[in-house]
Amino acid sequence: MQRFGFIVHPLEVHDITRKFPLAQRVPERWLETLLRYGPPVTVSHITGIASTQGVEAEGWFVGCLLTPKQMLGLPEAVVLEKIIDSAKKAQQLGARIVGLGAFTAVVGDAGITVARNVDIAVTTGNSYTVATALQGIRYAAESMELPIGKASVAVLGATGSIGSAAARILARDVSHMVLAARSQDKLESLAAVIRAGNHVDVEVTTSVAEACKQADIVVAVTSAIDTIVEPEWLRPGAIVCDVARPRNVSRRVAEMRSDVLVFEGGVVQVPGDVEFGFDFGFPGKTSYACMAETMILALEGRYENFSLGRALSVDQVDEMVCLADKHGFRVGGLRSFERAITPEWIARVRENASKTRQHVASH
């Protein structure tokens, strides 16, 4: 039996009430203080993971009780200590590798310091997150009858670990790319790397709005706490892949733009009769890709650091695709704001996009 751990954390203070209902009685300010000083907790025991290679695995969700707001607002050393303590908790439970979920993979140096301070392997899960997002984008483009070779793609958060790898891989296939992030210098450096290895027109911008307005496909992977993609900025028929947690895409997009296809990147079907013991908002037997990468490495017996730091390589992404296929992990369809996207849904989006374009052309 292979064993792993995965660190989760509340996206908002009152998410903690899903595990501890009595916390509903505590004022938010008090609860926030309790979270800051609380130790890591065992959230659930994960069972039933069975590779198509005949290998089985079990694991544990370990809760690091800080919200994204706290992780960005508290001193970095304080936050890293909390994450390290959570990884050590996973080790005590029997895990031989631990995955960093959501903002625990963003803080500091993206897992490197955590790995140096524990005696088990560490991964952010970013390699498989990139892979599944790109698989979802290609499926969505085909379903929307959008030739990906002619598409303009915007990558929001392009200089981050996931964004950079996604941009470099997509540059193999698309004709035009807009890279968006906060640092102009980092954007220019990434653009130079992409231009050197591909026949693609690359632009850079520090404006999310400008990037979105130019794109047929938007890949959102920033570490922003609040949503940053608004409905007014999107083209009719745009495909938006939101990999970020918390979400980068405003719920207003789903409410106001029936001519746009928004889906969450990295929804994975896990092999076996898996029981997670915790509701994180996905259907049964499916997980985030970052969780799945941790499971895959455990099943493979690869108890070594993987997907750490800001310089995620294309080779790591390609390797993770092969390992996922080997053990029976698959992209579990597309989802949008907790709902499964059906072929009928996509057909309606295509039709609505066509009507919007005709309306714009007639005026």
Side-chain angles (χ1 to χ4, degrees):
M1 178 73 71
Q2 307 288 15
R3 293 180 173 87
F4 67 92
F6 192 83
I7 300 175
V8 296
H9 67 83
L11 296 181
E12 298 177 344
V13 171
H14 284 289
D15 280 348
I16 202 72
T17 60
R18 291 162 65 185
K19 181 64 178 176
F20 304 105
L22 289 177
Q24 294 177 5
R25 303 178 182 179
V26 180
E28 184 169 320
R29 187 175 61 182
W30 293 6
L31 188 55
E32 204 166 49
T33 301
L34 289 172
L35 294 183
R36 174 174 178 175
Y37 294 104
V41 297
T42 303
V43 175
S44 69
H45 182 207
I46 305 165
T47 60
I49 301 167
S51 162
T52 52
Q53 300 296 308
V55 186
E56 296 183 354
E58 65 174 342
W60 295 268
F61 281 138
V62 175
C64 176
L65 302 183
L66 291 177
T67 66
K69 180 181 176 182
Q70 289 175 304
M71 289 189 190
L72 295 180
L74 292 171
E76 186 176 287
V78 171
V79 178
L80 284 172
E81 183 179 2
K82 295 273 286 186
I83 298 170
I84 290 165
D85 287 346
S86 301
K88 288 179 178 178
K89 176 77 170 180
Q91 181 179 342
Q92 292 167 4
L93 290 167
R96 297 177 64 188
I97 185 170
V98 63
L100 306 180
F103 266 66
T104 67
V106 174
V107 173
D109 49 16
I112 294 174
T113 295
V114 177
R116 287 174 179 161
N117 285 274
V118 297
D119 297 324
I120 57 176
V122 178
T123 184
T124 62
N126 284 348
S127 294
Y128 198 43
T129 296
V130 171
T132 56
L134 298 182
Q135 289 171 356
I137 287 168
R138 292 187 174 97
Y139 170 79
E142 182 178 346
S143 300
M144 288 288 288
E145 299 176 358
L146 172 64
I148 199 163
K150 297 180 180 179
S152 175
V153 174
V155 182
L156 314 181
T159 56
S161 176
I162 294 176
S164 173
R168 283 176 282 152
I169 294 173
L170 280 169
R172 299 168 176 173
D173 301 324
V174 303
S175 60
H176 180 257
M177 180 171 287
V178 184
L179 307 176
R182 286 176 291 187
S183 170
Q184 185 77 21
D185 290 342
K186 290 181 179 179
L187 284 168
E188 294 290 359
S189 296
L190 176 60
V193 170
I194 291 174
R195 292 187 189 106
N198 302 276
H199 299 290
V200 59
D201 177 33
V202 184
E203 297 181 40
V204 302
T205 180
T206 56
S207 168
V208 170
E210 290 306 312
C212 290
K213 289 174 183 178
Q214 297 185 57
D216 303 305
I217 299 171
V218 176
V219 187
V221 290
T222 84
S223 56
I225 294 177
D226 299 316
T227 57
I228 59 170
V229 178
E230 300 296 342
E232 296 83 3
W233 304 340
L234 299 170
R235 292 179 172 180
I239 295 167
V240 185
C241 175
D242 191 353
V243 185
R245 288 296 173 274
R247 287 187 176 92
N248 281 173
V249 179
S250 168
R251 189 173 287 274
R252 291 177 61 240
V253 175
E255 294 168 351
M256 298 174 61
R257 294 298 301 272
S258 60
D259 59 346
V260 166
L261 181 66
V262 180
F263 72 95
E264 301 163 351
V267 181
V268 178
Q269 189 76 42
V270 179
D273 192 19
V274 60
E275 292 288 345
F276 289 109
F278 176 65
D279 178 12
F280 50 89
F282 277 19
K285 302 183 182 180
T286 65
S287 78
Y288 288 110
C290 52
M291 297 175 183
E293 178 172 313
T294 313
M295 301 173 203
I296 292 164
L297 290 169
L299 289 167
E300 184 68 8
R302 289 278 294 272
Y303 294 121
E304 59 192 58
N305 296 334
F306 205 88
S307 300
L308 296 186
R310 307 294 179 192
L312 189 67
S313 76
V314 172
D315 288 343
Q316 285 176 297
V317 177
D318 291 340
E319 181 180 12
M320 190 50 60
V321 170
C322 293
L323 291 177
D325 289 344
K326 174 181 176 180
H327 289 285
F329 289 76
R330 299 286 184 269
V331 173
L334 303 183
R335 292 180 59 78
S336 181
F337 293 96
E338 287 80 44
R339 296 172 59 198
I341 296 177
T342 62
E344 292 77 17
W345 181 335
I346 297 174
R348 287 196 299 272
V349 173
R350 278 202 319 266
E351 182 180 353
N352 291 335
S354 177
K355 290 178 180 177
T356 303
R357 293 189 192 101
Q358 290 174 8
H359 177 77
V360 171
S362 66
H363 289 76

